[in-house]
Amino acid sequence: MEHDIRDMGLADQGRKRIEWALREMPVLKGLMARFATQRPLAGLRIGGCLHITTETANLARTLKAGGAEVALCASNPLSTQDDVAAALVRDEGIPVFAVKGEDTERYYRHLEAIIAHRPQITLDDGADLVSRLHQRHADQLDEVIGGTEETTTGVVRLRAMARAGALRYPVVAVNDAYTKHLFDNRYGTGQSTLDGIIRATNILLAGKVFTVAGYGWCGRGIAMRARGLGARVVVTEVEPLRALEAAMDGFRVLPLAEAAHQADFIVTATGDKHVVDRRHFEVMKDGCVMANSGHFDVEIDIPALQALAVSRHRPRPYVDEYRLADGRTLRLLAEGRLVNLAAAEGHPAAVMDMSFANQALCVAHLAEHGAQLDNEVHAVPPHIDREVARLKLRGMGITIDSLTAAQQAYLDSWQEGT
Ligand SMILES: NC(=O)c1ccc[n+]([C@@H]2O[C@H](COP(=O)([O-])OP(=O)(O)OC[C@H]3O[C@@H](n4cnc5c(N)ncnc54)[C@H](O)[C@@H]3O)[C@@H](O)[C@H]2O)c1
């Protein structure tokens, strides 16, 4: 079996960590058992371009239990957990093409390996696979039944493709399920981003000025958790509604050019380009720590930072110190790539349980109905979202009330008033 991983000798450690994660993933575990009996994906070739983490390993096992032939590559050069890649190859017979720290050339070579697997269903996290297939392998598009997309940035790219009439197969926007973005983007990114920053720097957050650029689902999670650690949190936004929400949630809202003067930390989570640029580097405090949790490494203008710097050195893993001509030092974590996946382990399994239960159920949905769907970006069917919520509550041991017949009749009627 073809593969490209760092070291098969890491497989034992990977196996233990995959099992550890599964204990926090009761919903996916239940689906794995269901898929093993029902085999909804029998004979399907699935290609995934996802962060190669313990949680992704459990998603791949679930799809395989459902009868699929799965092959995986990384969706980010720095997010691969090499021990997990080794365990997937050795113990699950899943071809994996992913090495933590791979360069761009190898990253794209790995995407090509997944395309050579001739996927009938694609799983993306950032839309690199779907984009590459359309741009370089249009001859294969007729074989593809459909795809899923895990993250906000990927959904934005796919909507642009659909608008331009370029999308040639249906894609389900898993990110947009309530049981995905309300939890994964907020609580997952919130906790793991702080985890990444702390592991990389070990700097105390209490009392520090911590600026979050973007008050979307990720940004609000990061802001909430930074406040919980005692930081004085400032939010920057471009959307009036989101800025207002941040203000009423109790955060200071400022333009970034102003916030940059005071910030000890600046963390981006916008999905946008060059949010932190030269104007901001020029006024930042000595020692300011910058990190990104948005999908691509474009949120901090790294070429502009490099152009301003007179030297660079790496005092700790995942920390680059850029010395400027005026003597200030600015610190960039994880080369501006997703700090939570590069410097920590990505989202905790309990939250990926819901994201990947959505993925598994959406893949089964595509296997059954993909041929009838338009070549558009589709919402996750609401019954899937509700089922994931129901199963997660059960996994957490939480029961809720149900409507009485009289309440249901009341809610369905319009005649009763004051
Ligand atoms: N690190 C992770 O593990 C992880 C997990 C989920 C999503 N993501 C990625 O994080 C990014 C944000 O996702 P989201 O779900 O929070 O998106 P979102 O659309 O909910 O929020 C993004 C916010 O950024 C704001 N914004 C855009 N440009 C800005 C600018 N120049 N300055 C300040 N604010 C700006 C937007 O107004 C919006 O409110 C995406 O790239 C997404 O793919 C990362």
Side-chain angles (χ1 to χ4, degrees):
M1 184 181 77
E2 263 192 79
H3 59 269
D4 186 19
I5 59 164
R6 178 163 317 273
D7 178 4
M8 199 63 91
L10 299 170
D12 282 343
Q13 181 190 312
R15 158 75 25 216
K16 285 187 207 152
R17 293 204 314 113
I18 293 167
E19 290 303 335
W20 174 263
L22 190 62
R23 283 157 58 176
E24 292 283 309
M25 303 182 90
V27 182
L28 199 63
K29 195 172 175 179
L31 290 179
M32 211 186 284
R34 193 202 294 177
F35 277 23
T37 338
Q38 297 175 348
R39 306 280 288 175
L41 312 176
L44 270 182
R45 289 185 307 277
I46 296 181
C49 175
L50 300 168
H51 301 300
I52 307 301
T53 63
T54 51
E55 296 79 18
T56 301
N58 285 318
L59 171 62
R61 293 167 83 190
T62 306
L63 301 176
K64 205 170 166 208
E69 286 171 38
V70 185
L72 293 175
C73 69
S75 58
N76 185 292
L78 270 188
S79 63
T80 298
Q81 297 173 0
D82 290 317
D83 55 347
V84 169
L88 279 172
V89 173
R90 189 193 67 183
D91 302 339
E92 305 294 335
I94 291 178
V96 179
F97 301 84
V99 177
K100 184 162 184 157
E102 63 198 19
D103 60 17
T104 308
E105 192 269 323
R106 197 175 189 186
Y107 176 83
Y108 281 106
R109 194 154 24 96
H110 287 162
L111 270 169
E112 288 293 334
I114 300 307
I115 292 169
H117 176 69
R118 300 198 86 89
Q120 295 162 290
I121 292 184
T122 60
L123 274 59
D124 256 298
D125 188 328
D128 275 350
L129 180 55
V130 84
S131 152
R132 185 99 176 168
L133 253 173
H134 279 70
Q135 289 183 55
R136 305 254 179 129
H137 301 275
D139 57 306
Q140 268 180 241
L141 291 171
D142 287 343
E143 293 172 27
V144 184
I145 302 166
T148 63
E149 172 51 55
E150 171 74 6
T151 198
T152 316
T153 284
V155 173
V156 169
R157 288 178 86 188
L158 289 162
R159 290 225 164 89
M161 276 180 88
R163 265 200 315 277
L167 188 62
R168 297 253 317 266
Y169 60 81
V171 180
V172 180
V174 169
N175 179 73
D176 294 358
Y178 290 111
T179 47
K180 200 282 184 181
H181 67 269
L182 286 182
F183 304 93
D184 167 317
N185 300 30
R186 182 164 40 173
Y187 303 112
T189 313
Q191 177 166 324
S192 61
T193 298
L194 272 298
D195 186 13
I197 293 170
I198 292 167
R199 287 197 207 191
T201 64
N202 196 28
I203 295 177
L204 183 74
L205 270 96
K208 296 283 167 44
V209 178
F210 191 103
T211 297
V212 181
Y215 202 64
W217 294 107
C218 294
R220 61 190 69 192
I222 298 167
M224 181 200 299
R225 294 302 179 236
R227 173 156 69 187
L229 286 164
R232 289 178 286 152
V233 180
V234 175
V235 168
T236 76
E237 251 298 343
V238 292
E239 268 292 324
L241 268 175
R242 293 231 158 136
L244 190 57
E245 214 179 339
M248 294 217 186
D249 284 344
F251 297 107
R252 187 145 186 238
V253 179
L254 286 175
L256 186 55
E258 245 173 85
H261 287 278
Q262 310 159 22
D264 298 297
F265 294 85
I266 298 179
V267 181
T268 52
T270 67
D272 197 0
K273 189 176 176 175
H274 295 178
V275 174
V276 184
D277 66 15
R278 189 185 172 111
R279 294 175 294 149
H280 310 113
F281 303 140
E282 280 170 349
V283 297
M284 279 176 197
K285 267 169 51 174
D286 182 36
C288 181
V289 174
M290 292 175 281
N292 168 50
S293 246
H295 189 75
F296 287 119
D297 62 345
V298 296
E299 305 214 6
I300 300 168
D301 186 353
I302 300 169
L305 181 60
Q306 286 165 344
L308 274 181
V310 291
S311 67
R312 180 177 64 170
H313 89 122
R314 182 164 286 185
R316 299 165 61 96
Y318 307 111
V319 183
D320 285 324
E321 286 194 333
Y322 288 82
R323 184 166 290 274
L324 308 189
D326 60 13
R328 284 176 303 136
T329 297
L330 304 183
R331 295 155 168 170
L332 176 67
L333 305 190
E335 300 168 29
R337 296 197 186 276
L338 298 158
V339 69
N340 61 327
L341 281 140
E345 294 170 64
H347 295 358
V351 87
M352 294 314 294
D353 191 23
M354 289 189 276
S355 307
F356 285 167
N358 273 295
Q359 284 280 4
L361 290 169
C362 287
V363 169
H365 173 73
L366 282 170
E368 199 179 340
H369 304 290
Q372 289 93 55
L373 295 176
D374 296 335
N375 296 340
E376 296 287 345
V377 178
H378 295 268
V380 171
H383 71 270
I384 291 185
D385 219 349
R386 271 198 306 276
E387 183 182 5
V388 173
R390 208 171 31 243
L391 293 172
K392 189 67 183 174
L393 282 169
R394 191 199 291 163
M396 293 169 79
I398 297 171
T399 47
I400 59 172
D401 291 322
S402 44
L403 293 171
T404 63
Q407 286 169 338
Q408 186 65 65
Y410 173 75
L411 293 172
D412 289 342
S413 71
W414 57 271
Q415 291 92 342
E416 254 186 88
T418 309

